[in-house]
Amino acid sequence: MVLPSVPSVLAETIYPDTLATPSVRPGIAPAMRPARKSVGLALSGGGANGMAQIGVLKAFEEEGIEVDMIAGTSIGAIIGGLYSAGYSPLELEELALRLPWEQLLSLNDDPPRQNFFLEQQRVRDRATIAIRFDDLKLKLPRSLSSAQKLTRTLDLLFLNAPYHPRRSFDDLPVRFRAVTTDLVSGNRVTLKEGSLSEAIRASSTVPVLFEPVEIGEKRLADGGLVANLAVDELEKAGMEYRIAVDTRGSMYTVADDIDIPWKAADQAITILIELQYPEQLKKADVVITPDVKQNTALDFSDVEGLIEAGYRSGKTLARSILNGIQLPASGRTSLEGCTRSLKVSGIEAGQYPALAEAGTIINNARYAEEALNALLETGWFTAVYAETNESEKNITFSATAPPLFERVDVYGPNEGPDQAQIDECFAPLLGSWYTTSEGNAALERLVRLYRESGLSLVDIENVRVENRTLIINMSDGRPGELIIAQNRNITRSNPIQRELEFDPDETLKREDVERSIDNLSGTGAFNRVSMGVQAAGADSSGRLPILVRLDEKPASVLRIGLRYDQIYKAQALFDFRNENLMGTTNSLGGWAKISEHDNRANLEYYIPRIGSTSLTFMTRLFYEQLNRDLRIPLFSKQFFTHYEDMYQRYHTERYGLSSSFGIQIGRNGQFLLDLILQNVSTRTDIAVPRFRDHETSMAEIGAEFTLDNRDSSILPSEGRYTHFKYSLAPALFNEEMFWKFSAEHEENLSFNDETAGQVGVMVGLSEPGTPFSELFFAGGFESTWSHAFAGLKENDLVGHNILLGKASIRYSPDFDLIFPSSFMLRYNMGKVWEESFSLGELIYGIGADLTWKTPAGPARFGTGKSFTFDKDTGTGKGSGIRFAESVFYFSLGHEF
């Protein structure tokens, strides 16, 4: 800092004691900071109990306790890292109350279904378990979860933080250390550089439950194994006053409470923690222990209460801490008998609101150093010093006020906040005097406006006041070098680069990074995708490098599905494929379904994206053998009478080749052109006039559009499914020309966390000459071969033309009935017809289902009843409702 020159005629110039650590926070003008002890804060692990640490920080901020360094372990690393990167205690409290902690820490962290392309969705929808192979050797998972949900959340939070480290975590407003354990050596590894979000995730990774973070040869996990409360890290860094916050909580004391693996892991870590504490607590000047003993580490049900407990503890000890960090002045220049005066530069006489307060400080002080320190603590002055003249017994205190400004000009990316938002941000300061802390807070509010606009890397480059105008230059927010780190080096560069949504030559936007993470996760090639700023030094233009760390899956996977229902009986699916063929993310493999009545085999090759384009291609060789029952006679007016002996078994066998080429529309849509060459044969056990045995070779061409962004294929709560398809069998290549068209739409609506609804419609039309095997089928539960219709058995409706409507409402309570459960009421209407359509012949159905989400797949129990409205043809008046017999349904496992 440059201070005003001192005339040589003065006997002595006295400067205040100032804090040696420079401030990283932006300021309108450089300012001295009053001296005190450096303050270090050790934040402990403790799972949910660690939320109390937010309350401690909240109390510190209210009491004016500044923290210079944080050493965090596990949840303490998460909270401490966010605070160090500029999140305020109030923002941390809001995050703690808003984030779904149970989901973030759950073991089921598969990417959302919407992240995958449609063909990838189909492959995953039908399998119960997946087993990975590396060079045909079984590859057992290293953990129960990859922690992708937590990884993604932390990456985005730190990317959009007000501050980013440049060379190391010492560049943050609060210096930071993340304490981790290397599972290879068993040693403590304290991270102070690299990716901040990655360091914090490593510190909070519970072994066995979550996959360790690989950095070089190290496998980093929960620092609680070696130092759950790392006060000694503060000592190593030279912190003069050390505060420890202990939120370890209580152990399980009843054996039956340790009933799941993650509770056992939590208990084991807690036991290790107890052995560490005595030595660490000795190194602390103050230990804050919020009252969380009755709460367990996995109980996030009362986050608000935990924060309040920490707040009360912080408030109780705040005065003791403030007294403890005081430093005696380095000098004691007595003011006794001296004439005292004050000069404040940069103001006009009588205009500065702090003059009276400053005069009181000077007149009441016993020593010059005491007065100078008190002047700085008011925040009204950026610099102070004193000039003494012993011969004349007078002392003049000189101070500099923060510069006054009446307008603000901000130069930065066009996508940022508008002028009205900027003016509102600085409104309290325009044309008014302000303290240094008020000026700093306004600048931080400006940075937050850019973060709220989604511009994650736009920072303040420089600030100056000229001609009563505050001029602020912002960086362009472009990223620096893109660093891609892969643990297996399986995937080629192009499939990775094409999934990145941001341009390194453009301002980085948070939503683009979010989409990039989801895109890479959706390739299916990676266990975990992490993306964030790498603290390794900015490039020559000052831009920050972006680290993309990819934990790759072994490419070969065997998926197994098991299912039982009353129609097809026991069924098994085996799907084996290489999902990252030669590092291209293309897929090659096959699958087979084995059952008593439905057997299929497919060999498939799938290219989700050709090169860097959105073009896609798939080809497959297929074989299908199907045996199913069909109600006869079809479309009889006696449909709801005489059920005995009205079913006929028919058999279909087909084999052939199909190829599809088209374009991906986003992640969840596609338009395809299809070519199918196949041989189809159909026969029945008993000759029926409606059916005839036939065998034919067919060549079909067609086009189809599909959109499927549902969150689940079984019990969707949101999203829609739309499918249009037209196929033509030209006379040139077929015994008989025919065409077929179908259109289907399904809309899913979430009313609240427990209730969802669904409506849908399906229309199908075909040429009268369409072969029986290509007709439309409906009835029963949803299956590959038949559209769902409550109250009918599978294949009860068969015809060349079809119209179906459906509506349902589902309730999923927040408690489990052994397994997560859902109750559903269904309503269906529709009909099939050959030549003419009549609304009077519509069939209706109502039904109720109970579905359990079991480890083996969904278990569904349902019942339904169909009915029609009969008409008296003589009078045209309705003659009542005719009901069919009740139908019961059961299935266990995914449909495939």
Side-chain angles (χ1 to χ4, degrees):
M1 177 179 298
V2 179
L3 295 174
S5 60
V6 182
S8 60
V9 296
L10 296 178
E12 184 181 4
T13 300
I14 303 170
Y15 298 102
D17 295 329
T18 57
L19 195 62
T21 306
S23 175
V24 177
R25 300 180 190 273
I28 293 176
M32 292 178 170
R33 304 169 71 195
R36 55 168 171 77
K37 290 181 181 178
S38 56
V39 178
L41 183 64
L43 299 181
S44 72
N49 298 318
M51 297 298 164
Q53 296 169 139
I54 297 175
V56 173
L57 292 170
K58 185 178 176 182
F60 281 9
E61 185 174 84
E62 290 182 0
E63 295 294 334
I65 300 173
E66 294 184 43
V67 177
D68 300 300
M69 177 180 173
I70 291 177
T73 300
S74 197
I75 188 69
I78 294 176
I79 293 170
L82 289 169
Y83 182 73
S84 296
Y87 284 91
S88 70
L90 288 178
E91 288 172 324
L92 292 178
E93 183 175 18
E94 180 186 343
L95 283 172
L97 295 172
R98 175 171 56 85
L99 289 175
W101 292 100
E102 288 83 358
Q103 294 181 27
L104 295 180
L105 300 175
S106 71
L107 301 183
N108 179 19
D109 68 345
D110 289 335
R113 184 175 183 271
Q114 300 96 319
N115 286 8
F116 294 102
F117 290 119
L118 296 181
E119 184 59 33
Q120 295 169 320
Q121 289 179 11
R122 295 187 187 106
V123 170
R124 286 160 175 76
D125 285 346
R126 62 197 182 201
T128 304
I129 61 173
I131 304 171
R132 295 276 168 181
F133 292 84
D134 193 356
D135 292 332
L136 298 181
K137 295 180 181 179
L138 179 64
K139 186 71 175 180
L140 295 176
R142 293 173 294 181
S143 62
L144 299 177
S145 169
S146 66
Q148 177 60 37
K149 289 180 181 178
L150 179 63
T151 298
R152 179 182 185 274
T153 299
L154 291 177
D155 283 348
L156 295 175
L157 283 174
F158 282 103
L159 181 73
N160 226 44
Y163 298 94
H164 301 107
R166 290 184 171 270
R167 295 169 301 277
S168 72
F169 302 161
D170 286 344
D171 298 333
L172 297 169
V174 179
R175 295 166 61 189
F176 180 71
R177 300 288 185 271
V179 179
T180 73
T181 304
D182 179 14
L183 297 181
V184 177
S185 65
N187 296 328
R188 182 196 309 190
V189 176
T190 301
L191 299 176
K192 58 181 180 179
E193 60 186 9
S195 166
L196 183 57
S197 61
E198 185 174 64
I200 286 162
R201 189 177 70 256
S203 180
S204 55
T205 293
V206 179
V208 181
L209 301 186
F210 301 120
E211 194 162 332
V213 173
E214 296 186 21
I215 299 180
E217 297 300 317
K218 297 181 176 66
R219 301 295 181 268
L220 302 181
D222 197 332
L225 297 172
V226 290
N228 194 62
L229 186 62
V231 184
D232 57 351
E233 291 293 341
L234 306 176
E235 185 180 44
K236 292 176 187 176
M239 292 294 104
E240 298 164 301
Y241 194 87
R242 298 179 287 276
I243 305 170
V245 184
D246 178 13
T247 59
R248 62 188 130 156
S250 60
M251 296 174 60
Y252 295 102
T253 57
V254 179
D256 289 345
D257 289 342
I258 310 174
D259 54 355
I260 48 180
W262 42 99
K263 287 186 179 180
D266 175 52
Q267 185 80 336
I269 292 175
T270 303
I271 293 170
L272 290 174
I273 287 170
E274 293 295 326
L275 302 176
Q276 308 164 8
Y277 265 67
E279 288 301 315
Q280 293 290 349
L281 293 178
K282 289 178 185 177
K283 301 177 184 296
D285 295 290
V286 172
V287 178
I288 300 176
T289 309
D291 184 13
V292 297
K293 291 297 184 182
Q294 300 305 312
N295 200 78
T296 61
L298 298 175
D299 184 3
F300 287 86
S301 61
D302 187 22
V303 171
E304 188 173 6
L306 293 169
I307 294 174
E308 178 61 26
Y311 177 76
R312 290 194 302 267
S313 298
K315 279 285 192 180
T316 300
L317 293 172
R319 179 49 51 189
S320 173
I321 294 170
L322 286 170
N323 292 333
I325 63 178
Q326 295 297 321
L327 281 174
S330 60
R332 295 170 68 88
T333 304
S334 176
L335 297 179
E336 185 177 355
C338 293
T339 301
R340 313 171 192 190
S341 61
L342 172 68
K343 295 190 305 182
V344 180
S345 62
I347 66 170
E348 297 177 11
Q351 285 190 337
Y352 203 52
L355 289 178
E357 180 182 357
T360 300
I361 290 172
I362 292 170
N363 290 329
N364 291 335
R366 292 179 298 168
Y367 304 101
E369 291 81 3
E370 174 189 345
L372 290 171
N373 191 68
L375 289 173
L376 282 180
E377 287 181 340
T378 66
W380 288 103
F381 308 104
T382 58
V384 296
Y385 65 95
E387 300 169 323
T388 65
N389 188 319
E390 291 197 17
S391 62
E392 298 182 7
K393 284 293 183 181
N394 63 41
I395 183 167
T396 301
F397 289 88
S398 296
T400 304
L404 189 70
F405 57 91
E406 296 174 346
R407 61 170 290 177
V408 179
D409 290 341
V410 177
Y411 300 93
N414 295 329
E415 302 97 323
D418 57 32
Q419 190 61 45
Q421 292 174 300
I422 294 172
D423 290 343
E424 183 180 358
C425 179
F426 289 92
L429 279 62
L430 293 176
S432 302
W433 299 108
Y434 55 92
T435 65
T436 54
S437 60
E438 289 171 340
N440 295 348
L443 291 174
E444 283 199 353
R445 285 197 298 271
L446 176 64
V447 173
R448 281 176 164 82
L449 285 177
Y450 278 92
R451 299 296 181 264
E452 290 168 8
S453 300
L455 306 185
S456 299
L457 299 184
V458 175
D459 294 316
I460 295 174
E461 287 192 329
N462 55 70
V463 181
R464 68 183 187 277
V465 177
E466 292 182 0
N467 301 321
R468 299 278 181 125
T469 299
L470 176 63
I471 300 172
I472 305 172
N473 291 307
M474 310 296 295
S475 66
D476 59 18
R478 299 178 188 176
E481 179 188 4
L482 182 65
I483 305 169
I484 298 177
Q486 302 167 241
N487 64 331
R488 294 175 179 271
N489 292 315
I490 298 173
T491 311
R492 295 181 183 178
S493 174
N494 183 59
I496 296 172
Q497 295 280 355
R498 73 187 180 196
E499 301 300 342
L500 300 178
E501 295 281 348
F502 57 88
D503 185 341
D505 295 324
E506 299 291 338
T507 300
L508 187 73
K509 298 181 178 63
R510 180 188 185 276
E511 60 184 16
D512 292 340
V513 174
E514 189 171 4
R515 284 199 303 268
S516 298
I517 293 173
D518 292 343
N519 287 353
L520 287 167
S521 298
T523 63
F526 310 108
N527 281 315
R528 186 166 59 205
V529 176
S530 177
M531 193 174 299
V533 172
Q534 172 80 342
D539 61 19
S540 57
S541 63
R543 295 172 184 164
L544 296 170
I546 300 296
L547 171 67
V548 180
R549 191 178 293 279
L550 303 173
D551 184 351
E552 296 174 286
K553 297 178 181 178
S556 298
V557 56
L558 171 65
R559 289 188 171 87
I560 300 174
L562 299 173
R563 179 179 171 86
Y564 182 89
D565 61 51
Q566 74 268 42
I567 302 298
Y568 297 105
K569 308 305 180 185
Q571 305 151 63
L573 170 79
F574 300 93
D575 183 317
F576 185 79
R577 63 186 67 217
N578 185 313
E579 294 186 323
N580 194 3
L581 187 65
M582 301 178 68
T584 61
T585 71
N586 298 342
S587 173
L588 174 65
W591 62 276
K593 176 180 180 179
I594 302 171
S595 73
E596 182 180 351
H597 302 294
D598 182 7
N599 295 283
R600 280 176 276 171
N602 289 258
L603 181 63
E604 302 173 342
Y605 177 60
Y606 172 56
I607 305 177
R609 293 180 63 180
I610 299 175
S612 297
T613 72
S614 294
L615 298 176
T616 184
F617 173 79
M618 179 177 180
T619 187
R620 67 186 182 107
L621 293 169
F622 60 89
Y623 172 81
E624 297 169 0
Q625 183 187 56
L626 175 66
N627 305 317
R628 54 180 170 176
D629 293 330
L630 187 72
R631 186 191 297 271
I632 57 172
L634 286 177
F635 321 124
S636 168
K637 293 188 180 294
Q638 303 300 317
F639 185 80
F640 290 104
T641 62
H642 307 303
Y643 275 75
E644 296 78 8
D645 301 321
M646 293 187 66
Y647 285 90
Q648 166 65 36
R649 173 65 56 89
Y650 81 95
H651 314 270
T652 298
E653 185 176 49
R654 73 175 75 211
Y655 58 87
L657 167 70
S658 71
S659 295
S660 300
F661 174 80
I663 186 170
Q664 301 280 10
I665 303 172
R667 305 295 292 189
N668 305 135
Q670 64 184 15
F671 176 79
L672 299 176
L673 299 176
D674 302 321
L675 171 64
I676 303 174
L677 304 174
Q678 62 178 328
N679 179 277
V680 182
S681 63
T682 302
R683 63 180 178 82
T684 58
D685 290 346
I686 303 173
V688 178
R690 174 73 182 173
F691 308 130
R692 60 183 177 86
D693 294 352
H694 73 279
E695 178 176 355
T696 182
S697 295
M698 295 187 294
E700 298 177 51
I701 56 174
E704 60 180 311
F705 166 79
T706 309
L707 170 67
D708 185 356
N709 61 6
R710 296 172 295 176
D711 57 351
S712 169
S713 62
I714 300 296
L715 296 174
S717 296
E718 59 184 25
R720 59 179 54 91
Y721 174 78
T722 303
H723 184 234
F724 296 92
K725 183 174 183 179
Y726 175 81
S727 58
L728 172 68
L732 181 62
F733 302 104
N734 296 275
E735 297 178 3
E736 186 174 357
M737 186 276 289
F738 67 90
W739 57 265
K740 181 179 177 182
F741 171 78
S742 63
E744 184 174 0
H745 180 74
E746 172 191 303
E747 195 77 25
N748 295 282
L749 306 170
S750 179
F751 302 120
N752 54 48
D753 291 341
E754 298 178 344
T755 310
Q758 182 186 91
V759 293
V761 63
M762 184 267 176
V763 177
L765 306 171
S766 67
E767 183 80 11
T770 302
F772 176 78
S773 60
E774 310 304 310
L775 297 184
F776 298 102
F777 298 80
F781 273 173
E782 190 79 36
S783 76
T784 303
W785 308 110
S786 183
H787 294 278
F789 198 113
L792 296 181
K793 295 184 178 180
E794 185 163 307
N795 308 319
D796 270 355
L797 297 182
V798 185
H800 285 85
N801 306 292
I802 191 170
L803 171 65
L804 298 175
K806 64 179 179 180
S808 65
I809 187 166
R810 185 179 77 249
Y811 172 69
S812 303
D814 58 1
F815 56 87
D816 294 347
L817 298 175
I818 305 178
F819 300 107
S821 307
S822 295
F823 303 89
M824 181 180 292
L825 296 177
R826 299 175 183 269
Y827 172 78
N828 287 98
M829 59 178 292
K831 68 162 298 187
V832 295
W833 72 96
E834 295 303 295
E835 297 179 356
S836 61
F837 174 81
S838 172
L839 287 175
E841 296 180 356
L842 286 176
I843 300 171
Y844 304 86
I846 54 174
D849 298 353
L850 167 63
T851 302
W852 282 337
K853 292 183 179 179
T854 77
R860 304 176 67 185
F861 303 84
T863 183
K865 205 170 187 67
S866 56
F867 59 94
T868 60
F869 292 95
D870 288 346
K871 277 191 175 183
D872 186 322
T873 56
T875 64
K877 298 180 180 179
S879 61
I881 301 176
R882 178 171 297 183
F883 286 94
E885 64 180 3
S886 297
V887 180
F888 296 92
Y889 310 102
F890 167 72
S891 69
L892 173 62
H894 298 278
E895 172 61 42
F896 46 77

